[in-house]
Amino acid sequence: LVMGKLEFADSNTIECRTAICKGCEVQNDVGICTACGCIVKAKVRLAKSACPMELWLAVDNQPNSEV
């Protein structure tokens, strides 16, 4: 269950994450991460998601509020 608004990663981040996951030993033949059980194709698109193997991190899509 997801509460609130989903934040999606930008296309470059999705592309990089997908490439990393493609070469990962814990992704099975049908695109499931055996470390966390996620559907990789979906997880790489969510900005706030992170790799359980620490191969990529969550991103913050919020603009920097510092002046």
Side-chain angles (χ1 to χ4, degrees):
L1 178 65
V2 177
M3 305 283 285
K5 183 180 174 186
L6 289 177
E7 291 183 41
F8 294 98
D10 62 55
S11 60
N12 186 50
T13 300
I14 293 168
E15 219 174 280
C16 290
R17 288 176 172 184
T18 300
I20 291 167
C21 290
K22 236 180 205 181
C24 184
E25 62 200 29
V26 299
Q27 181 175 315
N28 69 18
D29 296 351
V30 293
I32 304 295
C33 174
T34 59
C36 69
C38 78
I39 300 169
V40 174
K41 193 172 184 177
K43 186 168 186 166
V44 298
R45 288 170 165 70
L46 299 174
K48 303 285 184 182
S49 66
C51 170
M53 303 295 288
E54 298 181 354
L55 298 176
W56 47 267
L57 304 173
V59 293
D60 183 5
N61 284 341
Q62 299 301 315
N64 190 346
S65 59
E66 293 180 34
V67 176

